[in-house]
Amino acid sequence: AQSVTQPDIHITVSEGASLELRCNYSYGATPYLFWYVQSPGQGLQLLLKYFSGDTLVQGIKGFEAEFKRSQSSFNLRKPSVHWSDAAEYFCAVRNNFGNEKLTFGTGTRLTIIP
Amino acid sequence: DTEVTQTPKHLVMGMTNKKSLKCEQHMGHRAMYWYKQKAKKPPELMFVYSYEKLSINESVPSRFSPECPNSSLLNLHLHALQPEDSALYLCASSQDSRASRNSPLHFGNGTRLTVT
C-alpha cells in the first residue's frame, strides 16, 4: 500500500529565509505526488503536482518541489518565505493504477517569525 | 475563491438530529469525494463517487450516508451522530477518478460540524 511520511511536524522560519519541507513516499512504481496547503479553517489548495517528466516542478505562490526517485522523496521548497505562507502543508500520493485513493501525510505546520 | 462550494460552513447538531451537508461543483468533474478531518490531523477519505456511482466506502459507519444526485452535487446525510464525529468535513472533486489519475483534487472550504 502507498504511504507518505512528513518527518517534520512543525517548522519555524524567519520571514525572507528559505524553506524546505520534507516528504518521503513508499510505493512500488512512480506515484502521482501532490503538495497541498491549508490555512486555518480553510480547505486544501493545490500547490503543485508531479506525475512524470521534469523532476523539478514549479507551483503557485513561488513554491517548487523536486522528485528524487533514488531517495523516494518529493521535498517542497521556497527561496524566500512570506508571512502569508504560515499554514499547514500536506504531501499526498496517489497510485497510478487501481483505486482512486489519495493518501495524505501527517502534515507540517509552518510558522513564520518576523 | 474555491470552485467547490460547501454548505453550511458551520453546523451544530444534537445526537438525535438528522442533517445534511451539501457540496456543489461546476467544473465538469466526474469524481467527487468526502473527507473527514480532525484537528491537527490530515484529511481521511470517507467516500468516493465516480460518475455518480459510489466507488469507495472506507468502512464508514452507517450513520453517515452519502448521496450523489447528479454529477455536480454531493450530499452527506447525517443521523444519530456521536460527539467524536465532530470534525471538519471536506468535499473535493476531480476530473475523473480513474482515467486521469494525475488530475488533482479540488477541495471546498469544508463544513465545521459539532455534535453535542
Side-chain angles (χ1 to χ4, degrees), chain A residues 41-103:
Chain A
Q42 300 293 309
L44 281 75
Q45 181 182 22
L46 178 70
L47 287 176
L48 46 79
K49 64 179 182 180
Y50 172 80
F51 55 95
S52 67
D54 193 344
T55 56
L56 184 64
V57 293
Q58 301 297 319
I60 62 171
K61 304 185 180 189
F63 285 93
E64 65 178 27
E66 185 171 13
F67 172 66
K68 292 185 177 180
R69 185 190 303 276
S70 61
Q71 298 176 21
S72 297
S73 68
F74 188 56
N75 295 347
L76 182 72
R77 301 195 293 248
K78 187 169 184 178
S80 176
V81 297
H82 186 262
W83 64 266
S84 60
D85 292 325
E88 189 84 22
Y89 290 79
F90 292 99
C91 183
V93 63
R94 195 177 204 184
N95 65 39
N96 53 19
F97 68 95
N99 69 40
E100 308 92 321
K101 189 172 179 178
L102 183 68
T103 301

Side-chain angles (χ1 to χ4, degrees), chain B:
Chain B
D1 287 340
T2 180
E3 296 168 317
V4 177
T5 304
Q6 290 187 244
T7 55
K9 287 187 169 59
H10 301 274
L11 178 63
V12 179
M13 61 185 290
M15 290 188 285
T16 58
N17 292 159
K18 284 186 180 180
K19 296 287 185 183
S20 296
L21 309 184
K22 297 185 183 302
C23 175
E24 188 169 3
Q25 59 88 15
H26 294 289
M27 294 178 281
H29 289 172
R30 303 312 301 270
M32 296 188 77
Y33 310 75
W34 279 116
Y35 280 83
K36 173 182 177 179
Q37 187 178 26
K38 302 285 277 186
K40 301 187 188 303
K41 297 289 186 184
E44 295 176 356
L45 182 66
M46 299 175 72
F47 303 103
V48 179
Y49 272 84
S50 181
Y51 291 86
E52 294 106 70
K53 292 192 188 311
L54 184 65
S55 61
I56 292 180
N57 176 343
E58 290 284 290
S59 302
V60 179
S62 60
R63 58 185 184 269
F64 296 91
S65 176
E67 178 196 20
C68 190
N70 59 56
S71 60
S72 299
L73 293 174
L74 184 67
N75 299 322
L76 186 63
H77 303 297
L78 314 172
H79 174 54
L81 295 194
Q82 304 297 310
E84 58 265 29
D85 296 321
S86 299
L88 181 67
Y89 287 84
L90 293 163
C91 174
S93 70
S94 67
Q95 185 176 352
D96 182 312
S97 62
R98 287 185 181 271
S100 303
R101 206 163 299 280
N102 59 326
S103 171
L105 272 62
H106 296 252
F107 284 84
N109 283 332
T111 294
R112 176 73 59 188
L113 174 67
T114 302
V115 181
T116 61

